[in-house]
Amino acid sequence: MKFWKEHVGLRMILIALFFCTGLAAVIYGWTITGKLKGLLIMIVGLILLLTALLVYNQGYSDRSRGR
């Protein structure tokens, strides 16, 4: 998509937001040991970290190569 290549500032803000929120959720969930709530918070944090990685990679995806 050209959108992510043209809006680099927005992409960096989203990456930073998802990364910081995801890392905080993983750390907070880690402190809640022995409860299902902590595990669910860590899973949400992992999803946010993977979303940050997805947004980062969208700027470098090139669909024209056919791969």
Side-chain angles (χ1 to χ4, degrees):
M1 282 178 76
K2 284 186 172 183
F3 179 79
W4 293 112
K5 288 184 181 181
E6 294 172 358
H7 298 89
V8 178
L10 176 64
R11 193 175 83 210
M12 289 300 142
I13 290 171
L14 284 175
I15 290 169
L17 180 72
F18 285 137
F19 181 77
C20 292
T21 308
L23 193 61
V26 169
I27 291 171
Y28 177 69
W30 194 0
T31 62
I32 305 173
T33 56
K35 296 183 181 172
L36 187 60
K37 180 181 174 183
L39 177 63
L40 293 176
I41 291 172
M42 286 194 297
I43 289 173
V44 169
L46 178 63
I47 290 170
L48 288 171
L49 289 172
L50 289 174
T51 304
L53 185 63
L54 175 75
V55 172
Y56 174 79
N57 284 332
Q58 287 298 319
Y60 299 103
S61 65
D62 188 13
R63 301 273 184 202
S64 64
R65 289 192 291 173
R67 291 185 183 183

